[in-house]
Amino acid sequence: MKVSEVTAKHTYKASMFEMIFSNEKELLSLYNGVNETDYADPGLLEVNTLENAIYMSMHNDVSFVIDSRLSLFEHQSTYSPNLPLRFLFYVSDLYSAMVKDCNLYGSKLVKIPAPKFIIFYNGIEEYPDRQELKLSGAYSVQDKKPSLELKATLLNINPGHNKKLMKACRSLRDYSEYVSRVRHYAKGMDISDAVEQAISECIREGILADFLMKNRAEAKKMSIYEYDEVKHMRQTREEGYEDGYNTGQDQLNHLILKLCNAGRTEDLIKAAGDKAYQQSLFEEFGL
């Protein structure tokens, strides 16, 4: 299959991760590293990354087909438990585009490539090398065997993590090291100066050297933008957590008081270990 060009997403500011791995040679290296394969011909790739936001102002980073397998890669600097749901939206659109000329009402089975969902995480919060996220974790009612499931694998790509993968894909290892240096220098200097120092050092030491020399100005702009965006999201999340905690604590205190006044100690004990029952009590008392 021929390689499709990755069209720039006009709605979004591209990330360095997307830019590095929009190169089919680098993308194939990343795929080989993740799957422990040894494909050598980038021409086998068919890139089909979604170009524009479709659902709730979201887009996917990189998606492609190779050997009848569909891979969706996402890079995250902040952890989000909603990625399986977002992957569901992405893959639905991709499959819709793939079968748009097929007869889905016919008696012949329409074949589709098997999907795999990977998240490359390099945020500052600690996570294990590998973690599985499931769509079923978002269901309001938990079934033992959910009718619809989607499993995504989160890979920690910070320095010191997933050493086998980093050894297999040098560009991923170099990208991880570059981001780590930007963060380190940003602790003691302006982010613009921190990025400039990290870029200069990495070029001298052969870390992402070719990419950074060819795209120095754009790499600097993207790095500053990404750093500021992550910082803003972290501050917003911390403020929201504090507000939400205070509101939730007040709500819970009111519920405890009402149950005690009503002599419903059994309900109070049950609510302590059953979130769904606790929510029903909130509704019952109008809290």
Side-chain angles (χ1 to χ4, degrees), residues 5 16-17 25 60 81 86 94 99 104 169 210 264 270 282:
E5 291 296 326
M16 269 191 66
F17 180 91
K25 181 180 178 181
N60 78 303
R86 287 162 52 183
L94 290 169
V99 302
L104 298 181
C169 182
D210 290 343
R264 294 170 59 175
K270 183 178 179 181
F282 286 145

Side-chain angles (χ1 to χ4, degrees), residues 10-21:
H10 300 294
T11 312
Y12 296 92
K13 190 177 184 69
S15 68
M16 269 191 66
F17 180 91
E18 290 176 77
M19 191 171 179
I20 292 168
F21 294 105

Side-chain angles (χ1 to χ4, degrees), residues 98-111:
M98 290 176 188
V99 302
K100 61 183 176 63
D101 296 323
C102 299
N103 180 12
L104 298 181
Y105 298 93
S107 58
K108 184 179 179 181
L109 179 66
V110 175
K111 296 290 188 74

Side-chain angles (χ1 to χ4, degrees), residues 30-72:
L30 182 59
Y31 177 86
N32 282 334
V34 169
N35 295 281
E36 298 185 7
T37 51
D38 56 358
Y39 291 102
D41 181 9
L44 295 172
L45 293 168
E46 182 184 1
V47 179
N48 52 18
T49 303
L50 294 176
E51 297 180 2
N52 298 299
I54 297 179
Y55 292 104
M56 298 185 290
S57 300
M58 298 186 299
H59 76 296
N60 78 303
D61 289 341
V62 183
S63 59
F64 58 95
V65 175
I66 182 172
D67 195 20
S68 297
R69 296 182 183 277
L70 171 63
S71 293
L72 286 88

Side-chain angles (χ1 to χ4, degrees), residues 71-197:
S71 293
L72 286 88
F73 287 175
E74 285 290 309
H75 166 255
Q76 293 287 303
S77 296
T78 54
Y79 173 80
S80 172
N82 300 309
L83 273 162
L85 182 57
R86 287 162 52 183
F87 273 132
L88 179 63
F89 294 149
Y90 304 154
V91 78
S92 295
D93 278 345
L94 290 169
Y95 280 150
S96 294
M98 290 176 188
V99 302
K100 61 183 176 63
D101 296 323
C102 299
N103 180 12
L104 298 181
Y105 298 93
S107 58
K108 184 179 179 181
L109 179 66
V110 175
K111 296 290 188 74
I112 55 177
K116 189 168 187 176
F117 309 94
I118 302 293
I119 305 154
F120 298 95
Y121 169 81
N122 70 337
I124 60 174
E125 290 84 9
E126 268 301 319
Y127 282 95
D129 277 13
R130 179 182 293 260
Q131 182 176 341
E132 186 177 66
L133 306 181
K134 295 182 179 181
L135 177 65
S136 59
Y139 293 161
S140 300
V141 177
Q142 294 294 308
D143 294 328
K144 290 184 179 179
K145 295 182 179 181
S147 297
L148 177 63
E149 184 63 283
L150 186 152
K151 299 177 182 179
T153 301
L154 183 147
L155 300 174
N156 190 335
I157 60 169
N158 280 303
H161 291 274
N162 281 298
K163 294 180 180 179
K164 187 176 181 180
L165 170 59
M166 295 300 191
K167 185 177 180 180
C169 182
R170 177 172 177 176
S171 290
L172 185 65
R173 182 179 74 244
D174 284 0
Y175 169 71
S176 173
E177 177 61 26
Y178 167 76
V179 172
S180 178
R181 294 193 186 198
V182 169
R183 289 175 179 164
H184 174 72
Y185 294 131
K187 292 178 182 178
M189 61 179 72
D190 179 79
I191 181 59
S192 179
D193 295 332
V195 170
E196 185 62 39
Q197 182 165 333

